[in-house]
Amino acid sequence: MDMNGNLTEEEKYTRAMLKVKEIKEFYGHAIAFCVVIPLLIYLNVLNSPGFYWFWFPIGGWGFGLLMHAIRVFKKTSRWEERKIQEYMNDENF
């Protein structure tokens, strides 16, 4: 970070690279969910049609997938960084 609190090009690149990695991991998670859940439904209906247990993995894994999506795609305000910068620049602090 330079003296004005701006990120260098290298820091911007590193942050962007990490963000792309997080998004890629989320899509891998979502694809696994979309492949495995139908298989579980098929196995459930084939082997024990009287009890639909597939709802349990859908609920648990679906909740985990939702939390992963929120973590990856949430908008951050970065207010803490701005506030720290504000205090660092305040001569009366």
Side-chain angles (χ1 to χ4, degrees), residues 2-84:
D2 65 12
M3 297 298 284
N4 296 329
N6 298 323
L7 296 175
T8 64
E9 288 301 313
E10 185 177 335
E11 290 170 326
K12 286 180 185 179
Y13 178 78
T14 302
R15 281 188 178 189
M17 199 170 63
L18 291 172
K19 186 66 173 177
V20 168
K21 183 180 180 229
E22 285 180 345
I23 292 170
K24 192 173 159 184
E25 289 171 350
F26 168 75
Y27 284 132
H29 189 182
I31 289 169
F33 180 85
C34 291
V35 169
V36 172
I37 291 299
L39 290 173
L40 291 177
I41 293 170
Y42 173 75
L43 288 173
N44 179 193
V45 171
L46 183 68
N47 292 317
S48 55
F51 177 67
Y52 296 129
W53 53 260
F54 64 82
W55 290 110
F56 299 110
I58 288 175
W61 194 354
F63 180 74
L65 187 61
L66 175 66
M67 294 296 105
H68 194 168
I70 289 170
R71 184 176 52 82
V72 170
F73 295 111
K74 73 177 182 208
K75 299 288 184 185
T76 57
S77 65
R78 305 218 191 293
W79 70 269
E80 289 175 330
E81 290 178 31
R82 288 194 315 267
K83 205 60 167 169
I84 289 169

